[in-house]
Amino acid sequence: MEIPNYTQAILKALEAAGHEAWCVGGCVRDTLLGRTPEDWDVTTSALPEETLAVFGSQARPTGLKHGTVTVRTPEGPVEVTTYRIDGTYRDRRRPDSVAFTASLEEDLARRDFTVNAIALNLRGEFRDPFGGRADLKRNSLRCVGDPDRRFQEDALRILRGLRFASVLRLEEDPATGGAMERNRALLEAIAPERIQAELVKLLCGPGAGQALERHPNIPGVFWPEILPMVDFDQQNIHHCYDVWRHSLAALIETPPIPVLRCAALLHDIGKPSTFTIDTQGTGHFYGHAKASAALADAMLRRLKFPNEFRERTVRLVEWHDRDIPRTGKGIRRALRALGEEDLRLLLALKRGDNLAQDPAYWSRQWEIRKGELLLDQLLAEDACFSLRQLAVKGGDLLALGWQGPAVGAALNQLLEQVVDGALPNEREALLAYICRSGPGGPKEAPPV
């Protein structure tokens, strides 16, 4: 295994000063899996003040209470943490106190999962007292020690477990999975921002659908609105899954873009509350897109998602069932309403939604592809769909006598005519049109 040179330099400096030093945690796990680590963490027998002495001006204390010193390198910061034993966790987040130890094994014993409790030194030697490498080989997620204790120390580990299962395609061993379920209510005490961060990573993992299918009750703690979807029979020939499994299947079929994956998970959340059944026994969900959008908005607010993320997600949910004509006019209107980026996301959501239905109805894939081809064509032709692209600007209308809010209204009227194909996006034609309805009655078009 190749440790980056800048991390090797830190290990060598600590060892030269007479201390033990190991890479530990996610960087070792990811390297064993053939993944590129996001960062490299080091654990050492050196006390924090000894680490500071080794690295001098390169180092700064960033968490002395918990034994952490950050060493600056040209390639980025590296956290160096002293071997430690954690005290009690009264806030379900961080230990109230830590005790430093000379034992690497005692430090590894405090960690959450065995796959994160593997250490690696400069000579390629592993310390793996809890069998993390074997668990990686069998795709198993297992707690270090007593799983109930691990989750009661820090309840966010429950959601982190689901995130690891999703991102790394692992499956919880029975004891760990059972403890996640038993302790899930502890998530109620976790800050919404921390849940949000873990949830986004979870949703973008390749195994998100499988992890959530195994444990719907866990996200159900902070999003109880999802629970009515579980096992809800749609009673409709278009669907071969219940509402929850349909939503997960749609999520799996969409690219791992956070706003898109979130929209896929929530796009049908309003179905249980809008369900009706006709005299032939067929289920319908009239108005479910609007109901889903309202629920999604409240759920995203609860977890304090950024406004832009929330608004884009809610808009995709509200539009997911809307028919967009596969015509130049239809695509231009959608472009005007959504913009290019969100229209592409909407088409991707529609594709995933369709692939999560009964295969007999996958023929809609061609209609979605036709919409994408039309979109590409219009953009290549520099089609006008926003005020920024309009050949007439506000100053042109001010010069003709328009004032105040009437200027914006007139520009939007012109844009609507262009988007609908009634007028070309040409300054002369637009000014001629607006002069016929401008303030003070019809005017002669000004010279251009």
Side-chain angles (χ1 to χ4, degrees):
M1 291 179 63
E2 188 68 28
I3 299 173
N5 290 336
Y6 68 94
T7 307
Q8 288 190 37
I10 292 173
L11 298 174
K12 289 175 181 177
L14 287 165
E15 288 191 353
H19 308 294
E20 295 179 11
W22 299 75
C23 295
V24 70
C27 59
V28 179
R29 177 202 70 215
D30 287 349
T31 304
L32 284 167
L33 290 172
R35 298 164 56 91
T36 301
E38 292 183 7
D39 46 41
W40 286 79
D41 292 328
V42 171
T43 189
T44 179
S45 60
L47 294 172
E49 56 269 25
E50 293 173 323
T51 301
L52 289 168
V54 169
F55 295 101
S57 61
Q58 281 183 269
R60 54 190 176 90
T62 50
L64 288 184
K65 178 182 176 182
H66 297 97
T68 300
V69 171
T70 298
V71 178
R72 294 189 294 270
T73 77
E75 290 81 3
V78 176
E79 287 193 349
V80 179
T81 302
T82 302
Y83 301 160
R84 75 187 201 202
I85 301 170
D86 291 342
T88 57
Y89 286 71
R90 282 185 299 180
D91 66 355
R92 309 286 188 198
R93 179 180 179 185
R94 294 182 183 276
D96 299 322
S97 62
V98 302
F100 299 133
T101 176
S103 168
L104 172 62
E105 282 72 15
E106 286 185 328
D107 180 86
L108 296 176
R110 70 179 175 82
R111 296 176 182 266
D112 50 7
F113 301 101
T114 62
V115 298
N116 296 330
I118 310 168
L120 171 70
N121 69 10
L122 277 169
R123 290 158 293 283
E125 300 167 341
F126 289 97
R127 289 283 181 86
D128 183 16
F130 303 103
R133 285 178 295 169
D135 284 340
L136 282 177
K137 288 181 180 178
R138 57 175 173 258
N139 299 317
S140 178
L141 186 71
R142 184 166 58 90
C143 280
V144 173
D146 177 13
D148 287 299
R149 178 182 174 183
R150 291 285 85 87
F151 297 134
Q152 288 163 15
E153 288 171 340
D154 181 356
L156 191 66
R157 287 172 173 167
I158 299 168
L159 200 56
R160 278 168 55 84
L162 276 192
R163 190 247 292 182
F164 289 133
S166 168
V167 173
L168 305 178
R169 300 302 293 264
L170 305 177
E171 184 168 347
E172 315 80 34
D173 86 322
T176 296
M180 291 167 71
E181 289 287 342
R182 283 193 300 276
N183 293 282
R184 66 183 185 274
L186 298 176
L187 285 169
E188 294 174 356
I190 300 298
E193 295 87 350
R194 296 184 76 208
I195 290 176
Q196 175 208 125
E198 290 294 335
L199 181 64
V200 168
K201 295 174 184 176
L202 188 168
L203 292 180
C204 290
Q210 294 88 338
L212 289 170
E213 184 173 6
R214 290 193 298 271
H215 295 287
N217 290 325
I218 290 176
V221 172
F222 49 85
W223 274 355
E225 294 90 342
I226 71 174
L227 298 178
M229 293 197 292
V230 179
D231 295 326
F232 195 102
D233 186 353
Q234 304 201 59
Q235 300 184 49
N236 189 291
I237 59 172
H238 291 89
H239 290 284
C240 53
Y241 300 118
D242 63 50
V243 178
W244 177 239
R245 289 179 176 84
H246 163 76
S247 300
L248 297 181
L251 181 148
I252 292 169
E253 295 292 349
T254 57
I257 300 168
V259 69
L260 180 56
R261 284 284 175 96
C262 196
L265 182 68
L266 304 181
H267 77 283
D268 277 352
I269 199 159
K271 276 191 168 180
S273 64
T274 58
F275 178 70
T276 58
I277 193 162
D278 63 25
T279 55
Q280 276 69 50
T282 298
H284 300 281
F285 303 93
Y286 301 117
H288 81 274
K290 184 176 181 180
S292 296
L295 287 171
D297 184 76
M299 294 162 71
L300 295 171
R301 287 179 187 273
R302 191 179 312 142
L303 293 188
K304 301 188 184 303
F305 275 86
N307 287 339
E308 182 186 10
F309 185 102
R310 173 180 54 79
E311 290 165 1
R312 293 178 69 197
T313 302
V314 170
R315 188 160 52 243
L316 290 174
V317 170
E318 189 169 11
W319 276 69
H320 84 272
D321 202 40
R322 192 176 300 187
D323 182 45
I324 298 175
R326 272 71 64 189
T327 62
K329 180 178 177 179
I331 298 299
R332 284 194 301 268
R333 282 187 168 184
L335 268 170
R336 180 187 177 188
L338 300 173
E340 178 190 354
E341 184 177 358
D342 281 2
L343 178 53
R344 291 194 184 279
L345 292 180
L346 177 63
L347 292 171
L349 177 58
K350 284 178 170 291
R351 173 176 288 110
D353 189 15
N354 179 235
L355 290 173
Q357 296 176 357
D358 190 288
Y361 298 94
W362 286 358
S363 58
R364 286 192 58 205
Q365 292 296 306
W366 164 241
E367 292 297 320
I368 296 166
R369 181 57 183 152
K370 184 178 177 183
E372 290 174 330
L373 292 172
L374 270 171
L375 172 59
D376 292 339
Q377 178 184 335
L378 288 169
L379 292 173
E381 295 170 352
D382 197 25
C384 176
F385 59 88
S386 69
L387 291 175
R388 179 180 53 83
Q389 298 168 295
L390 198 64
V392 168
K393 308 300 180 187
D396 298 313
L397 299 186
L398 289 171
L400 293 175
W402 295 77
Q403 296 178 0
V407 174
L411 289 174
N412 278 295
Q413 181 184 359
L414 289 173
L415 179 60
E416 184 176 345
Q417 294 293 316
V418 172
V419 167
D420 286 352
L423 285 175
N425 187 29
E426 298 171 358
R427 185 169 182 271
E428 181 177 4
L430 297 178
L431 289 176
Y433 174 85
I434 207 64
C435 280
R436 292 194 293 269
S437 58
K443 293 183 176 66
E444 182 180 348
V448 293

